[in-house]
Amino acid sequence: MSMAKHQKPHAILFAYPLQGHVIPAVDLAINLASRGFTITFVNTHSIHHHTSKASLSTTTTNNNNNDDIFAAVKDSDLDIRYTTVSDGLPVEYDRTLNHDEFMESLLHDMSVHVEELVTNIVKHSVPPVTCLIADTFFVWPSAIAMKFGLPYVSFWTEPALVFTLYYHMDLLRKNGHYACHDNRKDPIDYIPGVKAIDPKDTTSYLQQTDTTTVCHQIISKAFNDVRGANFVLCNTVQELEPQVIAALQVQKPFYAIGPLFPYGFNKGTVATSLWSESDCTHWLDSKPHGSVLYASFGSYAHITKRDLVEIANGLLLSKVSFVWVLRPDVVSSDDVDPLPSGFREEISDRGIVIPWCCQTQVLTHPAIKGFLTHCGWNSILEGIWYEVPFVCFPLLTDQFTNRKLLVDDWRVGINLSDQTVITKEEVLENISRLMMDGKLGEQLKAAIRGIKMKLENALSPNGSSEKNMECFIQDLVSRK
């Protein structure tokens, strides 16, 4: 489909229905709209329901615009339309407790609703729709884009290294490192652009021997589907992953456009949180500069009760001040308070446990010195931006590969545990190292400043991400 050069591009953008994917999708929508795009942004009914409910509970939010999460940024004359689509399940269905059923619905049922919505948008939109942008983990975009004669732009929210490991699953399978009864344990040294990588540093799904689960089916179908994408946008920085990106660009047009950050950076004006946010600024104000550990395991991954108890006891032993974000379902929706008995009383004023917060607001506070993280990619980019060194405890999916980048490659963090089974003694030792060891602290700070400079440079007017975004737009608009 050709696009007239003078015509305003109009993209339908589908965000994957997990908070860690919605956030960068919102940032991408605003970024493209600020460059002259019309964007029709699509959330699922369920995500919209939860973010609306959460924003109503968060007193700082303007509650009058609950039907349009982009209402606050439209003052900037950005043309972002907002709509929602069914993921195939009723809104009130508990997707956390019924994770596999939720994934089955994304795999089999959602595309019917998407097709109906796209038909309607294509039929009635002015300006006409010129492309479809969708998260790489969806299994249907290339077929739907082809049906409507639209270029398909795949949006990858994780590092390029993770993308290429999934993209080359056929090589991993052929070489016995994946989908075998007994996967090989020696380093993987045949993925284009990737230095030898230990299997334990690949994503959790690539390490498992049972590849019949619904998540494996989604990954397999999604990475089959992405081969039909015309362009891939990736929330990373060229200078952080140059060899991997160069090798991917041989396969297809692949643009590193990160880090994508919220409009207004510190406090996003678009509702993306699935839980109401607690404001701990007042508590942090009472603490000395550089004395507090911030701990959060993100919006999706679960932790075992055993590991949670060991971390809690390690924190108690450390005597370190901390803010700990424990969302209500972090162990299970059925276990609303998994902390050890008496923990909250014992920490007294030294620590606070909250269900959720605005992470960037906490990371930018001068009292924060370290970040105990699950190694989600959004958290990593934010931690680097605010120069907060990491103690790493990956739980799921890309987090194991992200940990490798943080600890082994960039040296901006340490591991919470080097064992398969975590203990309170190891938690105590590594949290104390991060928070108390002056020499290590200086090394980590120096390294993180160097990585942050790469992020800043990439976003500058002549930076790689800025140029890549402009190049993508040029390639999209001039596509015949």
Side-chain angles (χ1 to χ4, degrees):
M1 174 179 199
S2 67
M3 290 184 217
K5 293 223 170 44
H6 60 272
Q7 181 182 292
K8 189 177 181 184
H10 179 182
I12 310 175
L13 199 168
F14 284 89
Y16 203 73
L18 297 171
Q19 184 171 309
H21 292 251
V22 172
I23 291 169
V26 163
D27 298 336
L28 176 63
I30 293 169
N31 192 312
L32 288 170
S34 70
R35 296 167 193 268
F37 271 67
T38 294
I39 301 288
T40 298
F41 187 96
V42 188
N43 253 341
T44 61
H45 298 333
S46 169
I47 288 285
H48 177 74
H49 168 73
H50 285 289
T51 52
S52 299
K53 199 167 137 190
S55 66
L56 278 170
S57 314
T58 304
T59 51
T60 52
T61 304
N62 177 349
N63 296 335
N64 300 325
N65 296 311
N66 241 24
D67 288 338
D68 183 356
I69 64 170
F70 291 95
V73 301
K74 286 184 177 165
D75 304 342
S76 316
D77 293 328
L78 300 181
D79 187 3
I80 305 179
R81 295 113 191 239
Y82 180 67
T83 190
T84 59
V85 70
S86 172
D87 60 12
L89 291 168
V91 167
E92 59 280 2
Y93 190 79
D94 189 331
R95 287 154 178 78
T96 301
L97 269 184
N98 303 286
H99 176 266
D100 284 5
E101 290 83 351
F102 172 38
M103 292 292 132
E104 290 278 2
S105 194
L106 295 182
L107 181 63
H108 300 297
D109 306 328
M110 187 179 176
S111 60
V112 178
H113 305 286
V114 168
E115 193 172 318
E116 196 179 306
L117 179 73
V118 173
T119 303
N120 197 35
I121 296 169
V122 167
K123 208 180 211 172
H124 300 109
S125 278
V126 179
V129 177
T130 46
C131 69
L132 177 79
I133 305 176
D135 194 294
T136 310
F137 276 122
F138 283 125
V139 298
W140 42 258
S142 67
I144 289 199
M146 195 181 295
K147 175 165 183 172
F148 292 95
L150 299 170
Y152 165 38
V153 183
S154 184
F155 177 43
W156 181 246
T157 62
E158 296 169 9
L161 174 57
V162 178
F163 184 95
T164 205
L165 288 171
Y166 283 142
Y167 198 82
H168 292 97
M169 281 187 291
D170 55 334
L171 286 182
L172 294 170
R173 187 181 274 109
K174 189 173 126 191
N175 284 280
H177 278 109
Y178 172 62
C180 300
H181 175 61
D182 188 18
N183 290 342
R184 279 171 60 183
K185 302 286 188 287
D186 57 318
I188 298 159
D189 59 2
Y190 46 79
I191 305 286
V194 179
K195 289 180 187 162
I197 184 170
D198 195 297
K200 73 171 174 50
D201 294 326
T202 62
T203 72
S204 60
Y205 296 118
L206 292 175
Q207 294 182 49
Q208 290 160 4
T209 47
D210 177 11
T211 58
T212 62
T213 72
V214 64
C215 285
H216 285 92
Q217 290 172 58
I218 285 175
I219 291 163
S220 176
K221 284 201 173 211
F223 275 84
N224 191 38
D225 186 83
V226 81
R227 292 172 192 276
N230 302 101
F231 309 95
V232 180
L233 297 178
C234 181
N235 189 20
T236 190
V237 172
Q238 190 124 3
E239 289 76 9
L240 289 182
E241 308 185 79
Q243 288 86 13
V244 174
I245 290 167
L248 281 168
Q249 284 168 338
V250 173
Q251 305 282 339
K252 56 176 57 258
F254 189 98
Y255 308 82
I257 57 162
L260 289 162
F261 279 139
Y263 188 73
F265 264 57
N266 238 2
K267 180 69 178 154
T269 46
V270 177
T272 52
S273 178
L274 300 182
W275 299 274
S276 56
E277 295 173 350
S278 304
D279 188 349
C280 52
T281 310
H282 184 67
W283 185 87
L284 285 168
D285 288 344
S286 71
K287 300 298 171 196
H289 283 203
S291 67
V292 178
L293 177 74
Y294 169 61
S296 173
F297 302 126
S299 58
Y300 177 59
H302 295 279
I303 184 171
T304 65
K305 183 150 184 168
R306 190 208 159 276
D307 286 351
L308 186 84
V309 168
E310 291 300 312
I311 291 169
N313 288 327
L315 277 171
L316 276 181
L317 292 168
S318 75
K319 307 289 189 227
V320 162
S321 295
F322 61 87
V323 173
W324 194 359
V325 171
L326 277 186
R327 58 174 211 277
D329 65 345
V330 74
V331 169
S332 163
S333 300
D334 287 340
D335 190 353
V336 288
D337 190 10
L339 285 166
S341 174
F343 177 82
R344 291 171 196 271
E345 294 72 31
E346 206 167 331
I347 59 175
S348 183
D349 188 45
R350 182 165 65 78
I352 53 169
V353 179
I354 54 177
W356 201 246
C357 69
C358 172
Q359 182 161 283
T360 52
Q361 210 174 33
V362 174
L363 288 173
T364 193
H365 197 284
I368 297 294
K369 183 175 184 179
F371 185 0
L372 169 54
T373 177
H374 66 308
C375 302
W377 189 236
N378 294 336
S379 290
I380 286 172
L381 293 174
E382 289 164 6
I384 290 169
W385 189 264
Y386 295 111
E387 298 181 17
V388 182
F390 304 91
V391 58
C392 299
F393 185 58
L395 296 166
L396 187 70
T397 187
D398 62 318
Q399 296 156 19
F400 295 90
T401 311
N402 299 347
R403 181 221 63 83
K404 175 205 183 299
L405 292 171
L406 279 186
V407 178
D408 303 345
D409 297 5
W410 304 336
R411 303 190 180 279
V412 295
I414 61 171
N415 294 324
L416 183 66
S417 173
D418 290 317
Q419 314 301 322
T420 329
V421 179
I422 191 170
T423 63
K424 64 186 177 190
E425 291 80 13
E426 206 173 13
V427 172
L428 161 66
E429 181 189 343
N430 288 312
I431 283 174
S432 301
R433 278 178 68 213
L434 186 81
M435 299 297 286
M436 313 292 192
D437 183 335
K439 190 179 173 190
L440 175 66
E442 281 310 308
Q443 288 168 353
L444 293 172
K445 268 285 190 190
I448 214 165
R449 280 190 203 109
I451 301 291
K452 187 205 175 163
M453 198 174 289
K454 290 184 177 181
L455 267 58
E456 283 183 315
N457 290 343
L459 295 179
S460 69
N462 288 311
S464 58
S465 292
E466 183 63 23
K467 283 180 175 169
N468 290 340
M469 184 63 104
E470 290 300 329
C471 181
F472 157 68
I473 293 169
Q474 203 54 50
D475 293 347
L476 177 71
V477 170
S478 62
R479 188 175 180 274
K480 297 290 180 214

